Amino acid sequence: MGSAVLLRDHDGRILLVEPTYKDYWELPGGVVEADESPYDAAVRELAEELGLTVSPGRLLVVDWVPPRAGRTEGVMFVYDGGVLDASQTDAIRLPPQELRSWAWSTLPQAQQRLSPLLARRAAAALEAATDSGTVYLEGGNQVGGP
């Protein structure tokens, strides 16, 4: 189980991080630890990965991730981190052993940087943030609803 946070700037771009141990970018977040709620994991991961103290808002996405080679199935939660102002952006500090860089990304840029599954999840989260909904996904694809 994992949690991530959708952070935006005033231009509507989303914040992505580039892990040192993967060949694609991600939304900030990570694994939910034992005896930790998904929300608390999101808060912790923002502090660990970006050095930010942010209280995420509502849940935007629940994404069931099917099993694949070497991994069991999982569930990913994405929370609304809101819009960062200039002082928050200036305060971002990365752990060099874990993250190479971060970048504001338009949705087309995000689709190039993210894996296909993560690109679908990020697009759904961005849409949910702008229409006040919560989306259920399976493997990054919307299930049910209109």
Side-chain angles (χ1 to χ4, degrees):
M1 181 168 37
S3 285
V5 179
L6 180 76
L7 298 164
R8 300 176 308 282
D9 70 1
H10 289 286
D11 295 322
R13 297 176 299 176
I14 62 175
L15 190 148
L16 299 179
V17 295
E18 182 183 19
T20 58
Y21 50 89
K22 293 182 179 175
D23 59 356
Y24 55 86
W25 295 57
E26 295 184 322
L27 291 171
V31 174
V32 177
E33 295 179 354
D35 299 322
E36 182 179 49
S37 75
Y39 185 88
D40 288 343
V43 171
R44 176 184 50 76
E45 288 287 347
L46 285 178
E48 289 177 3
E49 290 188 352
L50 301 175
L52 295 177
T53 303
V54 174
S55 296
R58 66 188 178 78
L59 180 64
L60 299 174
V61 171
V62 175
D63 189 3
W64 176 79
V65 182
R68 57 186 192 255
R71 295 189 123 172
T72 62
E73 66 185 1
V75 177
M76 188 70 180
F77 298 88
V78 181
Y79 295 92
D80 190 350
V83 176
L84 295 185
D85 61 30
S87 66
Q88 289 171 304
T89 301
D90 291 343
I92 291 174
R93 300 292 177 263
L94 302 178
Q97 69 282 6
E98 186 174 347
L99 297 175
R100 260 186 219 99
S101 61
W102 70 274
W104 290 116
S105 301
T106 63
L107 196 52
Q109 290 168 332
Q111 290 168 332
Q112 291 178 355
R113 291 177 169 147
L114 298 167
S115 71
L117 183 149
L118 295 179
R120 294 189 303 271
R121 183 184 299 150
L126 186 58
E127 184 176 336
T130 58
D131 74 7
S132 301
T134 300
V135 180
Y136 173 70
L137 307 174
E138 290 186 359
N141 297 303
Q142 190 163 350
V143 176

